[in-house]
Amino acid sequence: MLEEKIHDKKPLYSKTAARAESSRCLFCHDAPCITHCPTEINIPQFIRQIANDDIKGAAVTILASNKLGYSCARVCPTEVLCVGACVYNHSDNAPIQIGRLQRFAVEVAEERFGFLALLPNKRPPSGKKVALIGSGPVSWSAAAELALLGHGVTIFEKKAVPGGLNSLGIAPYKLQKKDAIKEIEWLSELGIELRLNNEISANSVGSLVKEYDALFLGVGLGEDKLLNIDDLSGPGVYGATALIEQIKNDAHFDLSAVKIAHVIGGGNTAIDIAHELKLLGVEHVTMLYHRAEKDMSGYAHEIDAARKSGVVFREHEQLKELVRDQNENMHITVFDSSEQKSYKTQTDLVALAIGQQKIIDLAEALGVNLDSMGRVIIDEQTGRTSNLRVWSGGDCCSGGKEVVNAVQEGKIAALSIHEYLVSQKNDAEVASA
Ligand code: SF4
């Protein structure tokens, strides 16, 4: 797999390095790092546990708030979350490397004690069943909480590979597919049933409504959006998420003939694929963004990292035309709005990172309300949709946020589903008394 050529950006700490880093923590009262973690992990507590060589306790602390603490430790933009909030940022000292400590705790504790030993005991079976559609982080978070509460849980995934964004969409220098799958295998030990190659369509979802007591919609986002330009559907042109998926999942995918690549967009997906192409050996990788670089929605630290790896950023530039010559070489015309002129250049690969479609059919078939942008509307306190037996969360609601936000939304929905299932059970017991 191509992604395995890319090295881990933040490898696992040694025990000595973890002890040294944890011992720098000030264990702040009202720690700002906690309030900047969407899942509110008790960060000073788990760091103190590492410093005291209580690795199991540290992992228990992390997983109590975030069942995907392992992948979040690796994929979270900690620079703008917990690490960005660390009090050390106001001094000459580097902030605490919270993500790396979190990875150390969960990875080492799982290896030594097994994943289930890091979680509370499962409650007795409730007799209730929940179906979750989509197998991305939001569904695994909800499924893990529901399984621990004693409910029967089944995840339906249309692809052959589980994990959604975590296994197929995250840049490999943060998390490789095999590691995302490893976490899913840990979570599956809770008795979560996973049905792969099992697409739930607008036509088939009715049978789930009849068979299950509650439904969770975690379908994420759809296909990459395309530009309205002729010839864009030919070889060498990819949607950015489809390209990332091929790099992570297609053992025969080969980039050796690609010397020049252009990435269209200015968000984190655009930066991820540009950085990834560079790390995979593409000589010239250029990002074209139609506005000023300061307007890019990608994180500044990711832009810096991509630039350091050799990605060239060109602001105020738009792809206008793509033509293929008789040898199938691609030539693009780019319009520079700051200079008000166009230029032509050759390219071997174009990646479009201008957003993704919404998946609306399923929500509509369930009678779930959508907003004007096609996002599923939920009550933020409960994750419940306008169909009172359907909950949702993650990118199909937010339009695209971080894995850690999805984990929190899955957790919130699971607690609300649990309350609903308990109330249903109580009602049934009263009716039969
Ligand atoms: Fe430790 Fe920094 Fe959090 Fe304070 S803000 S508890 S120093 S990680």
Side-chain angles (χ1 to χ4, degrees):
M1 219 66 76
L2 261 185
E3 74 161 356
E4 287 163 14
K5 286 187 177 176
I6 297 179
H7 297 298
D8 201 340
K9 197 167 101 181
K10 295 177 181 172
L12 179 68
Y13 268 148
S14 65
K15 186 177 172 188
T16 311
R19 286 286 291 278
E21 184 64 1
S22 59
S23 66
R24 290 203 305 122
C25 180
L26 302 171
F27 311 116
C28 308
H29 184 65
D30 293 333
C33 52
I34 301 180
T35 51
H36 283 71
C37 171
T39 56
E40 295 177 356
I41 293 172
N42 191 333
I43 292 167
Q45 180 171 312
F46 93 71
I47 294 179
R48 188 190 293 274
Q49 287 165 313
I50 294 174
N52 291 336
D53 205 20
D54 178 11
I55 310 303
K56 182 178 181 185
V60 168
T61 300
I62 294 160
L63 295 172
S65 297
N66 183 336
K67 300 294 176 289
L68 278 77
Y70 173 68
S71 55
C72 283
R74 303 184 63 170
V75 308
C76 264
T78 53
E79 293 84 348
V80 295
L81 296 172
C82 54
V83 175
C86 177
V87 294
Y88 273 123
N89 288 296
H90 304 294
S91 72
D92 293 334
N93 300 305
I96 302 292
Q97 293 304 297
I98 300 166
R100 296 191 70 177
L101 289 171
Q102 182 170 315
R103 174 181 171 181
F104 172 81
V106 180
E107 196 166 333
V108 171
E110 194 282 335
E111 173 89 29
R112 277 195 211 159
F113 305 100
F115 194 66
L116 291 187
L118 310 175
L119 299 174
N121 291 332
K122 274 176 79 169
R123 291 197 196 166
S126 68
K128 298 289 182 184
K129 297 192 305 181
V130 184
L132 299 100
I133 306 173
S135 72
V138 68
S139 290
W140 282 103
S141 171
E145 302 291 351
L146 287 163
L148 282 168
L149 290 164
H151 305 300
V153 183
T154 306
I155 295 180
F156 294 85
E157 169 57 52
K158 67 180 177 184
K159 295 186 177 176
V161 177
L165 184 70
N166 259 13
S167 52
L168 298 174
I170 298 283
Y173 50 87
K174 297 176 190 165
L175 182 70
Q176 297 204 350
K177 187 180 84 175
K178 62 179 168 44
D179 293 319
I181 300 287
K182 181 167 75 177
E183 182 174 56
I184 285 172
E185 287 168 356
W186 298 346
L187 291 161
S188 296
E189 291 171 21
L190 284 166
I192 297 164
E193 185 187 358
L194 172 64
R195 295 194 197 170
L196 297 174
N197 299 305
N198 215 312
E199 179 162 12
I200 304 301
S201 68
N203 291 331
S204 62
V205 74
S207 62
L208 291 194
V209 173
K210 286 192 195 125
E211 195 185 334
Y212 290 85
D213 298 292
L215 247 62
F216 181 82
L217 208 50
V219 292
L221 297 171
E223 304 288 313
D224 294 289
K225 288 183 185 168
L226 297 176
L227 287 168
N228 191 17
I229 293 176
D230 290 344
D231 259 358
L232 265 190
S233 55
V237 181
Y238 300 85
T241 66
L243 180 56
I244 293 173
E245 182 170 332
Q246 266 195 288
I247 290 169
K248 290 179 79 79
N249 197 42
D250 182 349
H252 305 292
F253 190 62
D254 180 21
L255 283 169
S256 57
V258 177
K259 303 281 181 260
I260 307 169
H262 287 82
V263 176
I264 316 301
N268 285 312
T269 305
I271 296 162
D272 273 357
I273 187 60
H275 194 171
E276 202 169 321
L277 289 169
K278 197 71 199 153
L279 294 175
L280 285 167
V282 177
E283 281 172 38
H284 304 284
V285 180
T286 304
M287 278 184 64
L288 304 178
Y289 182 59
H290 67 291
R291 285 157 58 188
E293 186 178 316
K294 66 177 176 49
D295 299 322
M296 283 184 174
S297 59
Y299 295 126
H301 67 275
E302 298 285 5
I303 294 173
D304 282 351
R307 184 172 269 126
K308 278 186 191 136
S309 76
V311 173
V312 173
F313 288 77
R314 295 186 69 104
E315 56 183 2
H316 301 294
E317 296 201 359
Q318 274 175 281
L319 177 65
K320 282 292 177 193
E321 186 185 48
L322 185 148
V323 291
R324 290 180 170 82
D325 61 26
Q326 62 272 32
N327 298 319
E328 285 295 304
N329 294 320
M330 289 192 289
H331 304 267
I332 56 174
T333 304
V334 177
F335 178 67
D336 180 338
S337 60
S338 60
E339 299 280 327
Q340 286 296 303
K341 65 180 185 195
S342 298
Y343 65 90
K344 290 184 193 295
T345 187
Q346 196 172 331
T347 193
D348 303 315
L349 182 147
V350 174
L352 301 169
I354 53 172
Q356 288 171 261
Q357 318 271 1
K358 307 290 186 312
I359 297 172
I360 59 174
D361 298 14
L362 211 47
E364 286 181 343
L366 287 166
V368 164
N369 288 343
L370 303 170
D371 69 12
S372 61
M373 295 170 74
R375 297 174 298 195
V376 174
I377 299 172
I378 51 170
D379 176 336
E380 284 187 13
Q381 307 301 316
T382 62
R384 207 169 195 174
T385 71
S386 54
N387 178 335
L388 297 182
R389 285 182 61 210
V390 179
W391 283 255
S392 188
D395 286 356
C396 64
C397 301
S398 65
K401 274 187 163 179
E402 299 302 333
V403 171
V404 68
N405 299 105
V407 170
Q408 180 66 1
E409 289 164 28
K411 194 167 86 180
I412 289 170
L415 293 177
S416 174
I417 293 170
H418 173 64
E419 279 174 19
Y420 166 76
L421 295 176
V422 169
S423 71
Q424 292 293 102
K425 203 170 168 205
N426 291 344
D427 288 351
E429 283 168 3
V430 169
S432 66

